Structures are given as structure tokens and as C-alpha cells.
Amino acid sequence: MNTVKIHVNKQLDGITFGLPVASLQAIEQEYPYAHPTSSLFVYFDPTLDFDVYSGRFKTYVPSILTGLKEDDLARLQVMFLDPVTGKQFFAVTA
């Protein structure tokens, strides 16, 4: 597994992040110590600009969802994708 795909669904007052079944299964198989979570909802203040939060999401969400250690995550490409269009939701830079 070289890539972790995370689905993103933005709502009025928050955002849901989810692991597709294939990513979830690959994590469980390759990293037996990890305890991945299938989805995570994060509330944010809708009066603030979404970009204020996006950097934090890119940093913390992959770790919370996958249950992977920092050094394992550093070796993987993380992609945040719109599950409907398949397009990248926001870029992640190392």
C-alpha cells in the first residue's frame, strides 16, 4: 500500500472524513497494530473561512482515521478525495 485515500464530505457546519473499504482493509492487513476508524466528523465554525481549518485537517485526520504511527504515515501518500467526483479535495504537501 503506497496511498491512503480519504473521502471528504463538507457540510454546512462540519466535515466528514472517511476511509474507503479498500483503504481500511489494506491498513488492517499491512499494519496489524493499527486500529483504523471508518469515519470521523469534525465540527467547525461556519462563520470562519474553511481554509483556517484545512491545514489542521491535513495534519491530524490521517493519523486519527488510520491509527498509523507518524513514521508509517510519512512513507505513504495521503489523498483527500471527493467521493462523488473522485477529484482531489485539497492537496497535502510533505
Side-chain angles (χ1 to χ4, degrees):
M1 178 174 83
N2 298 323
T3 303
V4 174
K5 295 180 181 178
I6 297 175
H7 286 166
V8 182
N9 182 14
K10 187 177 171 193
Q11 300 160 37
L12 179 63
D13 64 347
I15 192 164
T16 301
F17 298 95
L19 287 175
V21 173
S23 289
L24 191 62
Q25 291 173 339
I27 291 166
E28 289 174 336
Q29 184 176 17
E30 293 187 37
Y31 302 95
Y33 74 84
H35 297 286
T37 300
S38 60
S39 68
L40 170 71
F41 178 79
V42 179
Y43 169 82
F44 62 83
D45 186 344
T47 63
L48 295 178
D49 183 10
F50 176 75
D51 291 336
V52 170
Y53 298 101
S54 65
R56 294 179 191 153
F57 294 153
K58 296 175 207 177
T59 302
Y60 298 113
V61 167
S63 177
I64 294 169
L65 270 180
T66 64
L68 295 176
K69 297 174 184 171
E70 227 177 281
D71 55 327
D72 289 329
L73 266 175
R75 291 190 294 267
L76 300 171
Q77 177 185 14
V78 177
M79 297 177 67
F80 289 87
L81 304 171
D82 180 313
V84 176
T85 65
K87 292 183 180 179
Q88 191 168 358
F89 194 82
F90 44 65
V92 178
T93 55

